[in-house]
Amino acid sequence: MLIGGIEAGGTKFVCGIGNEHGEIIERVTFPTTTSEETMAKVFAFFRDKEVEAIGIGSFGPIDVDKASETYGYITQTPKVKWKNYNIVGELKKQFDVPIGFHTDVTAAALAESTWGAAKSVDSCLYMTVGTGIGVGAVINGQPFQGLTHPEMGHILVKRHPNDTFEGFCPYHGDCLEGLAAGPALEKRWNKKGQELTDQPEVWDMEAYYLAQALMNYILVLSPKKIVVGGGVMKQEHLLPLVRKQVLELLNGYIAVPEITPENIDDYIVLPGLGDNAGLAGAIALGAGSMSQ
Ligand code: ADP
Ligand code: ZN
């Protein structure tokens, strides 16, 4: 069975073909420009592929409420050419197959829980720490949503006592994303994250924020596994710092074997699918749309 996947990102689009086992057979990448130009490339890619379904894991915010008149739209993006763009509708006009649609991070969570680092459990979170901070959740095997998709990257966290950076989120200033995404590192320390490896104060502060976020997610959603990816996590020493601070913050309050010094390395983990999580997730969304 061939299933199409579209990882619709703010800077690049990845289109691919895979199957229900998570194997990726073909993939192409192109830069995100206007909706017309970018989607013309998407349509051309899938034209002769004979896929049975297509999934889209998209940058957001997006409308994932099937009862809404604007279901399938990219909604409030600052990218003008994509604002209120009916990506599902436009794809449906071209290809008469079931179409799955969710956020890029929910797609990645689904891929990790179906084929990757969280496949042994039926609920997980996927967090990316990159240009922004996004978090997707799979609960009982299903993508999680309520009124709309959660926006867990924008939660409020306690400020580090040594941090005077005002934060860069255009909506909230010093929310988690405003304080801890890649651009926050660059703006606070005047160097890109890649160039800050040897400054321990940078990573202590970064772990301080990320650990608070994970603590809050654990307390609210009780995920069975947390997968953390994105460019900033390429700093290999960062995840161990985050795990340590999560344990300290929780202080033994959640008394489960997974959240202990012995097992935390297996509870808060890097992606099992590496850079394929996004595309594989879109394919998983496509596969899921066939049974709905
Ligand atoms: P996106 O979020 O746009 O999909 P990435 O996940 O690659 O892309 O994140 C890009 C961000 O991650 C940038 O802010 C970049 O500076 C930061 N980044 C990339 N590699 C590293 C690294 N090795 N160490 C720290 N930060 C990094
Ligand atoms: Zn924010």
Side-chain angles (χ1 to χ4, degrees):
M1 184 166 69
L2 294 181
I3 302 158
I6 305 169
E7 183 187 354
T11 49
K12 68 176 175 9
F13 262 56
V14 184
C15 291
I17 311 285
N19 62 24
E20 69 275 27
H21 307 298
E23 289 151 355
I24 293 172
I25 296 152
E26 195 182 336
R27 67 183 280 160
V28 296
T29 300
F30 38 85
T32 308
T33 57
T34 63
S35 46
E36 294 82 8
E37 197 176 69
T38 312
M39 292 306 288
K41 289 185 186 156
V42 172
F43 301 151
F45 174 78
F46 287 112
R47 184 64 59 215
D48 305 317
K49 298 294 194 297
E50 302 195 349
V51 292
E52 291 185 46
I54 301 175
I56 310 169
S58 177
F59 70 91
I62 61 177
D63 188 342
V64 292
D65 175 7
K66 288 201 169 139
S68 159
E69 281 183 9
T70 51
Y71 169 74
Y73 281 57
I74 295 171
T75 55
Q76 280 305 323
T77 173
K79 291 175 165 287
V80 277
K81 295 285 185 169
W82 291 90
K83 202 171 176 153
N84 300 320
Y85 180 74
N86 184 0
I87 188 166
V88 170
E90 293 300 323
L91 199 65
K92 195 105 198 148
K93 277 190 209 161
Q94 304 284 330
F95 305 100
D96 186 22
V97 295
I99 294 176
F101 182 57
H102 225 294
T103 62
D104 43 8
V105 279
T106 303
L110 193 60
E112 289 292 339
S113 78
T114 314
W115 301 301
K119 73 173 175 222
S120 58
V121 291
D122 62 5
S123 87
C124 79
L125 290 188
Y126 179 94
M127 175 193 230
T128 180
V129 188
T131 309
I133 295 185
V135 189
V138 167
I139 307 288
N140 296 328
Q142 292 300 318
F144 178 75
Q145 67 191 71
L147 281 176
T148 180
H149 53 86
E151 283 284 0
M152 291 185 256
H154 293 264
I155 62 169
L156 299 178
V157 286
K158 194 160 61 178
R159 210 167 238 287
H160 191 282
N162 299 338
D163 192 8
T164 53
F165 175 57
E166 68 272 22
F168 82 98
C169 175
Y171 290 88
H172 320 112
D174 62 354
C175 66
L176 176 70
E177 177 172 296
L179 290 173
L185 289 172
E186 189 174 343
K187 289 183 166 69
R188 179 188 295 112
W189 305 99
N190 295 314
K191 275 189 207 162
K192 283 194 183 305
Q194 295 87 318
E195 295 154 12
L196 291 163
T197 309
D198 299 330
Q199 287 178 240
E201 68 278 18
V202 169
W203 306 106
D204 282 340
M205 189 182 286
E206 183 70 5
Y208 181 81
Y209 291 129
L210 297 180
Q212 289 184 62
L214 296 193
M215 172 183 178
N216 289 334
Y217 307 151
I218 290 167
L219 293 171
V220 173
L221 283 170
S222 204
K224 293 183 182 167
K225 188 92 78 176
I226 299 178
V227 183
V228 194
V232 174
M233 299 315 295
K234 301 243 153 92
Q235 296 285 329
E236 286 175 6
H237 52 287
L238 177 57
L239 197 57
L241 296 175
V242 173
R243 291 181 183 125
K244 184 165 168 279
Q245 293 209 33
V246 167
L247 286 173
E248 285 168 8
L249 285 170
L250 284 169
N251 198 22
Y253 184 67
I254 307 287
V256 295
E258 287 78 1
I259 309 178
T260 54
E262 298 74 46
N263 296 332
I264 192 96
D265 290 2
D266 203 34
Y267 179 62
I268 302 174
V269 298
L270 292 170
L273 302 171
D275 294 336
N276 273 335
L279 177 60
I283 290 166
L285 286 171
S289 73
M290 299 176 73
S291 54
Q292 282 162 12

